[in-house]
Amino acid sequence: MKKYIAIVGSNSKKSTNRQLLEYMQHRYVNDVEIEIVEVAGLPIFQKTRDMAIPEQSKAMATKIDGADGVVIATPEYDHSIPAILSSALAWLSYGIHPLLDKPVLITGASFGSLGASRAQAQLRQILDSPEIKARVMPSSEFLLSHSLQAFNTDGLLIDAEQTKWLDSLVKDFAEFIDISAQLNHTHQEDDTRMADFSWDEGTTDKEVSK
């Protein structure tokens, strides 16, 4: 059975994105193990002289390293992802790189009618950045609009079409993970380049020494 780390991209105590991940956790319990992790409590990202990383970020990185894939659920604020999620991803690319070549499925819930579509597009760009280089499943957004009305009192999705859509994406993600496992020819080189990267100089230590 595969294992996924599901990241709640909000620090709201009543986040519908957390509710979405909890729904996935229970719906697919016989197919995949999903562990939900929180970004709430993380400090806003700030470079430090000794490149100190919060223990919460280190723990998250360890979980991601041991997982087959990652699911991220993001809300949308002002056409973008929340600052807390941006900070979480920055910490996960600051001297540590657990998302390198890690398969990622993007999901999102919003109160409005667009289902966090712009935030998901921004998140895809961030995950594709040179400091992160995750493998985001293409054409795979799950856009849950009007999320306050999307679940019944038992925490289940009300719309059967949305449920069917999510079921298909989860099945595709499992296959995407298997395919991604065969695409690791550049993984070691990318890992080495990331390890040599200098945030202060904006280049690698090896390039600085030339």
Side-chain angles (χ1 to χ4, degrees), residues 5 26 29 57 67 146 150 177 190 196 203 208:
I5 295 301
H26 289 94
V29 66
S57 296
H146 304 293
I177 290 172
D190 286 339
D196 290 337
T203 185
V208 169

Side-chain angles (χ1 to χ4, degrees), residues 189 192-193 195-198 203-210:
E189 181 180 348
T192 300
R193 288 176 63 85
D196 290 337
F197 185 82
S198 170
T203 185
T204 65
D205 292 338
K206 289 180 180 178
E207 289 171 340
V208 169
S209 64
K210 289 181 180 179

Side-chain angles (χ1 to χ4, degrees), residues 130-151:
E131 297 89 349
I132 297 180
K133 298 195 73 169
R135 286 204 178 117
V136 184
M137 189 168 81
S139 304
S140 61
E141 297 169 322
F142 182 72
L143 308 170
L144 184 62
S145 59
H146 304 293
S147 57
L148 287 175
Q149 295 81 38
F151 299 93

Side-chain angles (χ1 to χ4, degrees), residues 11-205:
N11 56 5
S12 170
K13 294 180 179 180
K14 296 183 179 180
S15 170
T16 54
N17 282 276
R18 183 182 298 104
Q19 194 171 7
L20 172 59
L21 294 178
E22 289 172 346
Y23 169 74
M24 294 175 65
Q25 186 181 51
H26 289 94
R27 181 167 181 80
Y28 307 116
V29 66
N30 294 323
D31 304 311
V32 61
E33 179 185 348
I34 299 178
E35 180 181 354
I36 296 174
V37 298
E38 303 280 349
V39 296
L42 276 172
I44 295 298
F45 176 76
Q46 181 177 1
K47 292 194 294 182
T48 59
R49 186 175 298 275
D50 59 352
M51 292 188 70
I53 302 170
E55 290 300 320
Q56 184 178 345
S57 296
K58 293 179 182 179
M60 189 182 300
T62 298
K63 292 178 183 292
I64 292 172
D65 277 333
D68 297 292
V70 174
V71 182
I72 303 178
T74 181
E76 182 172 310
Y77 301 144
D78 301 324
H79 292 184
S80 63
I81 65 173
I84 187 65
L85 177 55
S86 179
S87 281
L89 294 173
W91 285 123
L92 291 173
S93 62
Y94 189 54
I96 54 176
H97 306 283
L99 288 167
L100 173 63
D101 293 332
K102 185 69 66 172
V104 177
L105 173 64
I106 294 177
T107 65
S110 74
F111 297 168
S113 60
L114 297 178
S117 60
R118 294 181 179 91
Q120 291 192 36
Q122 183 192 49
L123 178 57
R124 188 176 294 272
Q125 287 184 312
I126 293 171
L127 291 170
D128 195 41
S129 66
E131 297 89 349
I132 297 180
K133 298 195 73 169
R135 286 204 178 117
V136 184
M137 189 168 81
S139 304
S140 61
E141 297 169 322
F142 182 72
L143 308 170
L144 184 62
S145 59
H146 304 293
S147 57
L148 287 175
Q149 295 81 38
F151 299 93
N152 63 20
T153 55
D154 294 322
L156 306 178
L157 280 177
I158 295 172
D159 191 317
E161 287 301 314
Q162 287 180 322
T163 301
K164 183 179 179 181
W165 181 17
L166 185 58
D167 287 347
S168 297
L169 286 175
V170 170
K171 289 179 182 178
D172 282 349
F173 188 50
E175 294 185 9
F176 178 70
I177 290 172
D178 292 338
I179 293 171
S180 293
Q182 305 174 44
L183 306 176
N184 284 321
H185 298 292
T186 63
H187 180 85
Q188 187 59 50
E189 181 180 348
D190 286 339
D191 190 45
T192 300
R193 288 176 63 85
M194 285 182 171
D196 290 337
F197 185 82
S198 170
W199 279 68
D200 292 329
E201 299 296 334
T203 185
T204 65
D205 292 338

